[in-house]
């Protein structure tokens, strides 16, 4: 019988009256059953976090740093169990850039965050007075995480909150709750009760968390459409928000680029996690002079990449995680094909799970949904251009502004293009490479605020000024 996964609230394992089956997207088999929480569980979790905050807010820098390191150790000590569970419910392979990679990233982010400090700043110290700026915790932080990188993004949300003296109520995606439920259960053993709590259930539970008056901040990673709803829900109590939302990342390949030299990096910038990454490369603009060569080089890379059940360690890409997203990708490619686009490779589902092959689409332009919308799957439209300024205009011609990239041999020319692209991050000769000390966030409809680094950590605090007379 498949295991049942419970919630963790106030240091206790909490059962539910009902449990939801979670299925493996590779096989359709039931992996386990997740507790179906309700409003009563939400109230208990917020109350537990509120109670824990009274003490945790007073904890020392040393205690908070050690808490982050303890979370990192939990990830490493339990990598076999957690990575297997993650592969079974999310679909990504165990090896390569899959589940073990994700757990290693969790530990790296937790350890790096432990070492970031937000010391008090002395703004004034003279005969008229002394003024200090202090960063203080907000209170209860609500975290709503997606299904593409369930554990990594949970760590991105939880650890900065813990580091700055806040407490947490996290609600994972109903598609991939099991690994988060288990991770928080393990973390709870190394932290004071109630500092981190996890509830699971449907999207309505996330909506209730975002509007709860006792929650001081919401951190949400997911679609732009849902992000707008989160913002609306948070408005009534004027919550602080960090929203990392959708992207339709453009890459521009300049005419001096060497297609064969950059093909591998282009490929993984687009297809990491089978393209199910907000910051993945989703539109590729290639100069007419090297268009065919770039297409050919990408096809060569794609032909050497194996996709299949993530439990088979020979596979380096897995399925689309859920039926709704699978159907969306199928429809986008079918529409592009019907509109005259050329499918260079892939383009048809295979197997019994939600498997869609790496698909490269040529002879396509704006006005096609596959170009204009975020596909969030293993599909890359490759768009021809002849004038660089026109490519920049087309790359910027979207509501999104998460990331972008420029590819070329002349660094100065690439940097000129990078300065003109409208995105929170612009890479040169790489894509989708992030680091815990480098702030990340989107502009336009791709989000509000940043994560990572000092700036991301500061987003989990409010400013308190101590202004003293002489």
């Amino acid at each position: 019988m498949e295991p049942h996964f419970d919630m963790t609230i106030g240091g206790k394992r909490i059962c539910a009256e009902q449990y939801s089956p979670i299925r493996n997207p590779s096989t359709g088999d039931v992996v386990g059953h997740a507790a179906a929480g309700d409003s009563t569980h939400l109230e208990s979790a917020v109350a537990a976090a509120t109670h824990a905050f009274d003490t945790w807010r007073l904890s020392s820098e040393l205690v908070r740093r050690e808490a982050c390191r303890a979370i990192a150790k939990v990830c490493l000590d339990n990598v076999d169990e957690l990575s297997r569970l993650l592969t079974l419910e999310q679909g990504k392979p165990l090896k390569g850039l899959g589940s073990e990679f994700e757990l290693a990233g969790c530990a790296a982010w937790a350890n790096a965050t432990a070492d970031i400090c937000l010391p008090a700043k002395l703004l004034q110290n003279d005969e008229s007075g002394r003024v200090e700026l202090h960063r203080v915790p907000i209170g209860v932080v609500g975290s709503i995480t997606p299904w593409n990188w369930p554990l990594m993004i949970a760590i991105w949300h939880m650890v900065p909150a813990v580091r700055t003296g806040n407490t947490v109520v996290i609600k994972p995606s109903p598609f991939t709750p099991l690994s988060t439920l288990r991770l928080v259960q393990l973390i709870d053993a190394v932290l004071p009760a109630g500092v981190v709590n996890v509830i699971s259930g449907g999207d309505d539970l996330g909506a209730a968390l975002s509007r709860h008056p006792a929650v001081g901040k919401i951190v949400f990673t997911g679609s732009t459409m849902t992000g707008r709803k989160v913002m609306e829900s948070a408005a009534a109590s004027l919550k602080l928000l960090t929203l990392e939302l959708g992207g339709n990342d453009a890459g521009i390949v300049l005419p001096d680029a060497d297609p064969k030299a950059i093909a591998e990096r282009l490929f993984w910038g687009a297809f990491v996690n089978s393209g199910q990454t907000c910051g993945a490369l989703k539109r590729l603009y290639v100069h007419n002079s090297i268009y065919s060569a770039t297409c050919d080089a990408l096809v060569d890379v794609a032909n050497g990449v194996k996709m299949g059940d993530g439990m088979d360690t020979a596979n380096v890409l897995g399925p689309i995680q859920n039926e709704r997203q699978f159907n969306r990708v199928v429809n986008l490619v079918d529409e592009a094909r019907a509109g005259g686009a050329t499918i260079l490779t892939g383009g048809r589902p295979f197997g019994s799970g939600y498997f869609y092959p790496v698909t490269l689409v040529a002879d396509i332009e704006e006005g096609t949904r596959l170009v204009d919308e975020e596909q969030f799957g293993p599909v890359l439209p490759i768009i021809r251009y002849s004038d660089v300024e026109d490519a920049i205009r087309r790359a910027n011609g979207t509501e999104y502004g998460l990331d972008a990239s420029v590819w070329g041999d002349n660094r100065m020319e690439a940097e000129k293009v990078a300065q003109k692209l409208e995105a929170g991050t612009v890479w040169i000769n790489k894509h989708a490479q992030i680091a815990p000390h480098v702030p990340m966030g989107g502009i336009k409809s791709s989000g509000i605020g940043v994560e990572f680094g000092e700036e991301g950590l500061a987003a989990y605090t409010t400013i308190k000024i101590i202004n003293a007379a002489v």
Side-chain angles (χ1 to χ4, degrees):
M1 183 178 179
E2 299 82 12
H4 284 57
F5 292 77
D6 299 320
M7 296 173 282
T8 299
I9 299 174
K12 298 179 180 178
R13 189 169 177 171
I14 303 298
C15 302
E17 291 186 5
Q18 296 182 332
Y19 286 75
S20 301
I22 305 301
R23 296 185 180 275
N24 184 336
S26 293
T27 65
D29 296 338
V30 174
V31 178
H33 299 268
D38 56 26
S39 59
T40 301
H41 297 115
L42 171 61
E43 292 298 334
S44 296
V46 173
T50 301
H51 178 73
F53 178 67
D54 290 340
T55 302
W56 189 246
R57 68 188 300 179
L58 304 176
S59 59
S60 68
E61 282 284 296
L62 177 60
V63 167
R64 295 177 192 174
R65 285 199 298 269
E66 289 305 312
C68 294
R69 293 191 180 102
I71 292 172
K73 189 173 186 298
V74 164
C75 294
L76 293 177
D77 288 350
N78 297 277
V79 65
D80 290 343
E81 177 190 359
L82 291 172
S83 61
R84 182 180 182 277
L85 187 56
L86 181 57
T87 289
L88 288 173
E89 70 170 345
Q90 202 281 335
K92 64 183 64 182
L94 276 170
K95 303 295 181 180
L97 299 178
S99 294
E100 292 180 2
F101 169 82
E102 183 165 343
L103 265 296
C106 290
W109 250 266
N111 277 323
T113 304
D115 293 330
I116 302 174
C117 298
L118 299 173
K121 293 182 179 180
L122 182 61
L123 304 182
Q124 178 183 331
N125 188 22
D126 55 27
E127 65 280 356
S128 63
R130 180 182 176 89
V131 182
E132 297 173 348
L133 182 153
H134 295 261
R135 289 281 180 179
V136 298
I138 297 165
V140 178
V141 172
S143 161
I144 304 172
T145 57
W147 47 259
N148 56 334
W149 295 90
L151 296 186
M152 179 84 87
I153 294 175
I155 289 294
W156 290 354
H157 290 190
M158 292 189 296
V159 172
V162 170
R163 177 67 183 86
T164 48
N166 299 285
T167 54
V168 179
V169 176
I170 185 169
K171 192 271 174 191
S173 165
F175 290 118
T176 55
L178 304 183
S179 55
T180 304
L181 288 168
R182 180 57 178 150
L183 175 64
V184 174
Q185 186 180 56
L186 293 166
I187 289 174
D188 184 67
V190 300
L191 295 184
V195 170
V196 176
N197 309 270
V198 60
I199 54 176
S200 54
D203 291 338
D204 57 329
L205 202 59
L209 177 62
S210 65
R211 63 174 175 263
H212 198 291
V215 174
K217 176 183 173 72
I218 288 288
V219 191
F220 170 78
T221 301
S223 72
T224 296
M225 180 179 65
T226 304
R228 291 190 176 107
K229 294 178 181 178
V230 170
M231 194 170 183
E232 290 176 5
S233 298
S237 55
L238 297 178
K239 286 179 177 57
L240 296 173
L241 291 171
T242 298
L243 304 177
E244 199 272 279
L245 306 178
N248 194 0
D249 291 13
I252 297 179
V253 181
L254 300 178
D256 65 348
D258 180 346
K260 290 185 178 180
I262 63 174
E264 189 89 16
R265 281 172 283 153
L266 280 172
F267 181 90
W268 289 111
F271 294 107
V272 61
N273 203 34
S274 292
Q276 298 168 113
T277 298
C278 292
L281 179 59
K282 298 189 174 76
R283 295 175 290 153
L284 185 63
Y285 293 85
V286 181
H287 192 267
N288 185 61
S289 63
I290 56 171
Y291 185 82
S292 295
T294 301
C295 290
D296 291 343
L298 285 169
V299 169
D300 286 344
V301 177
N303 288 339
V305 174
K306 293 191 66 175
M307 175 183 286
D309 190 330
M311 296 304 292
D312 181 345
T313 57
N315 294 319
V316 293
L317 288 178
I320 295 174
Q321 199 284 321
N322 58 80
E323 182 180 17
R324 181 175 64 190
Q325 189 60 30
F326 175 80
N327 289 335
R328 172 175 171 78
V329 170
V330 170
N331 290 336
L332 287 174
V333 176
D334 286 351
E335 284 184 19
R337 181 190 290 110
T342 300
I343 310 301
L344 299 175
T345 186
R348 303 286 184 189
F350 70 94
S352 58
Y354 299 132
F355 288 106
Y356 201 88
V358 169
T359 300
L360 299 166
V361 183
D363 304 320
I364 189 169
E365 293 185 350
E366 292 82 6
T368 306
R369 288 178 64 214
L370 182 59
V371 175
D372 296 346
E373 300 179 11
E374 180 182 29
Q375 67 273 43
F376 217 72
V379 181
L380 179 65
I382 308 171
I383 307 155
R384 191 188 303 264
Y385 78 90
S386 57
D387 177 75
V388 173
E389 292 300 320
D390 179 57
I392 295 169
R393 179 188 61 78
R394 294 161 74 182
N396 289 338
T398 173
E399 68 170 316
Y400 297 108
L402 189 56
D403 309 302
S405 56
V406 187
W407 305 76
D409 285 345
N410 187 316
R411 181 65 173 269
M412 290 183 63
E413 291 302 314
E415 288 181 354
K416 289 178 184 178
V417 174
Q419 291 290 347
K420 296 178 182 180
L421 288 171
E422 298 170 356
T425 297
V426 181
W427 289 283
I428 296 176
N429 289 326
K430 58 183 178 180
H431 198 102
Q433 294 189 23
I434 57 176
H437 65 287
V438 180
M440 182 191 76
I443 61 173
K444 298 195 281 188
S445 292
S446 287
I448 295 175
V450 299
E451 299 178 277
F452 315 155
E454 290 184 16
E455 292 81 2
L457 194 64
Y460 285 78
T461 67
T462 57
I463 291 175
K464 174 179 281 188
I465 300 296
I466 305 295
N467 195 332
V470 175

